[in-house]
Amino acid sequence: MRKILLQAGALAILATSCSREKYAELNTDPDVLTNIQVDPKNLFPTAAIAIHGNDFEAYYDIHRNIQYWIGAWVPLGGNGAVITRFKTPISASGNPYCFENLYSRETMGAGGAMKELRNIISKMPADKQGEYAHMGAISHIPMVLAAFQISDITGSIAYSEAFQARYTSPPMLTPKYDPQEQLFAALDAELKAAVAELKKPIAGEAKRLGGSDLWFHGVGDEPTNWIKAANSLRMRIAMRQLKRKPNEAKAIILDVLADNVGPIDSRAANWVFKGGIGVANGGNYGLAAGLSGQKASIDFMYKTTDPRIRNLYRKVALTQADFNTYKANGTIAAGEVYQEYRGRYTSPEAVGEADKRFYFNYIFGSTAYVSYIQDQLFNSAVSSGRVNYPVITYADVCFMRAELAARGVTTEDAKLWYERGIEASLADYDQWGKDANVTGYTALEPAEVTAYKNQADIVYNPAKGIEQICIQQYFQLYRNPMECWAHIKRTGYPSQTGVVFQAEKIRSGGTEAIMPRRWSIFVPPITDFNYENRKQSVLDMQKDPEFGDLTDITGRVWWDKK
């Protein structure tokens, strides 16, 4: 049994006439104190805060790397100063900062907090444990999410034997690393078991998370909300494996769709975290100056009258009259056409090209040629409202179902789910823009939705349906950058050879800059306490020829098969 001093916590018990014997018991078994003082639901917010509130992840992983890789942003002056971020995504710890979300953020990380929540329940009397069975089942779901997110970009992780040190004697301090193939199977099994538990009736008064659930806030039926979330996450993990294990992935997907509750089935059931101005704002959240979107994306959205454009980007400050003046004097190239929204070229080489360089500096004063991002939508630090951090939305599920149908994995109607996805996505961005108080917010009108769906490039065409679906999902995932990056890797869209939407070829120093596909991997120093297991995990991943050299981030983790 663990031996630790608990004088500070025990004082509260002693103040209520605790006996000398009870004090001794508390110092012998800290679980006694925990079970007296802690309601397990009070640990649940730690998972949401760890996953969404990591300012280092926001700044280094996302704002300094991923947003540029997925083409969402181009900075003032172009990508020349940041192109190395396409090549060297490393943090001071040698891990992406989302590593902390599972293991150490908010002291315990989502993994440790959810493990302890279940531990507290397990120490209760048997009749009380049953009342908390649903809460215990729900706790597995954000823990799986955090594990999936870090494994998604690094491969093998410690999971099945992790989070055990405080519950084992001697403490488990050297957990094995689970290969991604085995991990994904285990995560699916864990989610399926959670769903099964949440469907069981509870004798007596079921204990609910209520307001301690920072995703659903106790709105609606709590078990049903989390069944839909878990089933949707099962679909997402299964789709990662369609190239590696198509039969097993299909079986999971069909199992989810056959479930009597199923995946997320309405916008009201969206799995989303709404953050205020203090979220991920620990001094490492600032955005680069003068960020615009990429030209290819904004041109496509503008051409198709996409209503999402106004919540993602601001209109250009350059008026039509200004444009005419500076085009006439040669500042703006002769071939340019005025647009209310305009993005920058992504290629670093574009900055030095005469017919493009005016995209990257001010035309006059502080007036630029391009649209700036609606930074309130992305950055809690400057938002006067609330910033949405979607995990899985109804629109995501619609597009997943549309893609699966278009690929023949299911027999569902691809067109139906594609159109439902568009409607849900437009409504999401309308809500997210309103929540964040973006500049010039204008409510979405039903006529805009109809007009958008009737655009030539948007009307569903089975001959190019997969690309149409994937491009719509790409735009929907701008507010979930990690997943957007994975979506590009998994589907190949946007593509430079696309029929619907053509991505720009990224050129730097006369050669093409290839989008990274994973994080840099490091052999741990020999002083690492878990050196042998960590080293072996790296050696095992290197056996796959597609993995590449350790620091070759164009290499691939297991699921990302060519």
Side-chain angles (χ1 to χ4, degrees):
M1 187 61 65
R2 289 164 290 149
K3 306 282 188 179
I4 62 172
L5 294 176
L6 293 172
Q7 286 94 336
L11 287 174
I13 306 300
L14 290 171
T16 60
S17 302
C18 180
S19 66
R20 185 181 300 272
E21 290 77 14
K22 188 67 175 177
Y23 180 72
E25 181 185 1
L26 290 169
N27 273 277
T28 304
D29 185 357
D31 282 334
V32 174
L33 178 64
T34 299
N35 297 334
I36 291 172
Q37 292 189 315
V38 177
D39 186 331
K41 75 177 183 181
N42 293 337
L43 279 167
F44 197 77
T46 300
I49 295 169
I51 292 170
H52 300 290
N54 186 340
D55 58 316
F56 282 91
E57 178 193 20
Y59 184 69
Y60 291 103
D61 291 2
I62 296 173
H63 293 165
R64 303 285 285 180
N65 285 303
I66 294 170
Q67 293 284 22
Y68 297 100
W69 303 344
I70 65 176
W73 295 350
V74 184
L76 183 68
N79 272 326
V82 297
I83 192 62
T84 55
R85 294 175 198 151
F86 285 78
K87 301 175 181 177
T88 54
I90 60 174
S91 69
S93 67
N95 291 306
Y97 281 102
C98 68
F99 174 93
E100 300 172 0
N101 300 352
L102 175 63
Y103 296 108
S104 59
R105 196 70 184 179
E106 303 301 318
T107 304
M108 302 178 76
M114 296 302 92
K115 178 74 174 178
E116 178 60 14
L117 184 153
R118 297 192 291 273
N119 176 59
I120 293 170
I121 294 172
S122 74
K123 301 297 182 181
M124 294 177 175
D127 59 327
K128 297 295 290 182
Q129 287 185 37
E131 297 177 358
Y132 285 89
H134 284 174
M135 191 182 299
I138 291 170
S139 73
H140 287 274
I141 302 168
M143 184 170 171
V144 167
L145 171 67
F148 171 59
Q149 287 178 332
I150 181 60
S151 174
D152 199 44
I153 59 175
T154 63
S156 302
I157 64 168
Y159 187 77
S160 61
E161 292 183 356
F163 320 108
Q164 302 291 332
R166 64 181 304 190
Y167 311 112
T168 51
S169 183
M172 169 65 77
L173 299 176
T174 56
K176 70 177 183 181
Y177 274 59
D178 301 311
Q180 192 174 70
E181 179 180 6
Q182 297 174 20
L183 176 72
F184 280 10
L187 296 182
D188 179 72
E190 189 172 351
L191 291 169
K192 187 171 183 177
V195 167
E197 186 64 39
L198 286 167
K199 290 183 177 181
K200 294 178 182 177
I202 287 182
E205 180 187 359
K207 302 300 182 183
R208 298 294 184 222
L209 292 163
S212 294
D213 179 354
L214 301 185
W215 284 289
F216 295 104
H217 303 280
V219 176
D221 182 67
E222 189 168 283
T224 301
N225 287 338
W226 282 103
I227 290 170
K228 293 176 182 177
N231 279 333
S232 302
L233 184 54
R234 288 187 70 200
M235 284 185 68
R236 178 165 280 175
I237 297 173
M239 289 184 73
R240 289 289 201 278
Q241 303 173 77
L242 282 170
K243 290 181 181 178
R244 283 287 188 183
K245 302 175 74 173
N247 293 334
E248 293 87 343
K250 180 177 179 178
I252 293 169
I253 291 161
L254 295 179
D255 186 50
V256 167
L257 295 178
D259 184 85
N260 66 328
V261 177
I264 293 168
D265 58 0
S266 70
R267 290 188 59 249
N270 279 356
W271 184 3
V272 62
F273 178 84
K274 290 182 181 288
I277 60 175
V279 173
N281 190 19
N284 297 288
Y285 199 86
L287 306 180
L291 290 169
S292 78
Q294 66 167 335
K295 184 177 185 297
S297 292
I298 291 182
D299 282 354
F300 181 78
M301 297 180 88
Y302 187 73
K303 179 181 71 170
T304 57
T305 66
D306 191 331
R308 291 170 294 197
I309 198 170
R310 62 177 178 258
N311 291 309
L312 282 163
Y313 308 106
R314 301 178 187 181
K315 289 184 178 180
V316 296
L318 200 70
T319 68
Q320 176 78 68
D322 293 333
F323 174 84
N324 293 340
T325 296
Y326 288 94
K327 183 176 178 180
N329 71 18
T331 302
I332 296 172
E336 294 292 307
V337 177
Y338 183 75
Q339 292 183 183
E340 289 183 302
Y341 293 90
R342 175 75 72 183
R344 293 186 178 113
Y345 288 93
T346 306
S347 290
E349 288 185 0
V351 177
E353 296 171 357
D355 62 341
K356 300 181 182 66
R357 61 190 176 204
F358 51 90
Y359 280 83
F360 302 97
N361 48 35
Y362 298 121
I363 301 299
F364 63 91
S366 59
T367 299
Y369 185 63
V370 298
S371 302
Y372 289 144
I373 66 168
Q374 291 277 22
D375 48 3
Q376 300 99 323
L377 189 75
F378 298 92
N379 190 346
S380 294
V382 300
S383 176
S384 58
R386 304 191 73 186
V387 175
N388 285 265
Y389 299 84
V391 180
I392 304 179
T393 64
Y394 175 55
D396 293 334
V397 172
C398 290
F399 290 132
M400 284 193 281
R401 295 177 79 156
E403 183 189 338
L404 290 165
R407 293 187 186 279
V409 178
T410 72
T411 57
E412 293 192 312
D413 187 335
K415 177 177 182 292
L416 174 69
W417 286 109
Y418 168 74
E419 291 179 348
R420 287 178 177 176
I422 289 173
E423 292 164 2
S425 181
L426 299 188
D428 278 345
Y429 272 93
D430 178 59
Q431 183 64 54
W432 298 344
K434 181 179 180 181
D435 286 348
N437 293 329
V438 298
T439 300
Y441 168 76
T442 304
L444 179 69
E445 296 292 339
E448 294 182 277
V449 179
T450 301
Y452 181 65
K453 291 194 300 180
N454 287 331
Q455 288 286 323
D457 286 329
I458 306 303
V459 172
Y460 187 74
N461 180 347
K464 53 184 180 182
I466 291 175
E467 183 183 0
Q468 287 180 304
I469 295 163
C470 291
I471 293 303
Q472 290 296 325
Q473 178 73 297
Y474 168 68
F475 288 131
Q476 171 68 9
L477 289 171
Y478 265 14
R479 282 303 301 123
N480 189 351
M482 286 281 196
E483 188 59 31
C484 189
W485 183 29
H487 174 75
I488 297 169
K489 291 182 286 184
R490 184 181 64 79
T491 68
Y493 293 111
S495 167
Q496 294 174 17
T497 58
V499 175
V500 176
F501 174 105
Q502 286 196 352
E504 182 186 347
K505 183 175 182 179
I506 311 302
R507 298 164 290 110
S508 178
T511 60
E512 183 176 4
I514 305 299
M515 185 188 75
R517 305 192 74 89
R518 63 166 171 81
W519 225 260
S520 294
I521 307 296
F522 299 90
V523 175
I526 198 168
T527 54
D528 187 290
F529 203 75
N530 200 18
Y531 171 74
E532 291 297 335
N533 285 328
R534 285 190 62 191
K535 180 185 73 171
Q536 189 59 50
S537 75
V538 173
L539 294 176
D540 288 342
M541 285 191 288
Q542 284 186 295
K543 293 176 183 177
D544 183 346
E546 293 185 14
F547 182 79
D549 294 336
L550 295 185
T551 56
D552 175 11
I553 60 176
T554 62
R556 299 164 184 251
V557 295
W558 172 79
W559 73 262
D560 187 20
K561 180 177 172 59
K562 291 181 181 177

